[in-house]
Amino acid sequence: MNLEALPWIILFLPLLAAVVITLFTLRCRTTSALLSIGAIVTGFVLTIVFIAANGWHPGTEAPSWVYLHSAGAPPLVLPNESFVNWLSIGGLHIDFGLKLDALSLMMMLIVTGVAARFTFIPSVT
């Protein structure tokens, strides 16, 4: 599994669910609800998987149980920053990226956990 892609998947999973709901399942309420709740809960589960596999400091070496390596292979080190070039105009380069430190990982866990928890509380009106 590519652990470097997990934060990007967690970030864009609700957006992908919203696009799919808007384009394809808008009239079917049950399918739309399942897609939105599934995206939120999947984001929470992937956050837990990422933190469990990577620890609270992504710039360090991953725990030994995350990978199997042969003798002499370099250890798996996941970067604490991941970015892509978003816009380039002449000499101007604007990047879009994620910085993964202990605080941002904690916020990922809290935000996805609270969102997942409140999807299962019935609305009171």
Side-chain angles (χ1 to χ4, degrees), residues 17 21 25-26 28-40 119:
I21 289 169
T25 66
L26 194 57
C28 183
R29 296 182 77 180
T30 305
T31 306
S32 298
L34 286 174
L35 278 172
S36 64
I37 291 171
I40 291 169
T119 58

Side-chain angles (χ1 to χ4, degrees), residues 41-119:
V41 172
T42 302
F44 179 62
V45 170
L46 289 178
T47 300
I48 292 173
V49 167
F50 184 77
I51 292 172
N54 201 23
W56 291 101
H57 302 286
T60 60
E61 183 177 327
S64 61
W65 59 269
V66 173
Y67 59 96
L68 297 173
H69 62 86
S70 60
L76 175 67
V77 177
L78 298 171
N80 63 352
E81 292 182 357
S82 175
F83 62 90
V84 294
N85 190 3
W86 181 61
L87 181 66
S88 293
I89 302 174
L92 176 67
H93 300 285
I94 300 174
D95 295 329
F96 179 77
L98 301 173
K99 180 168 179 57
L100 303 171
D101 55 2
L103 179 62
S104 61
L105 291 175
M106 178 61 80
M107 288 305 298
M108 267 178 41
L109 187 63
I110 289 172
V111 169
T112 57
V114 168
R117 171 66 180 108
F118 281 109
T119 58

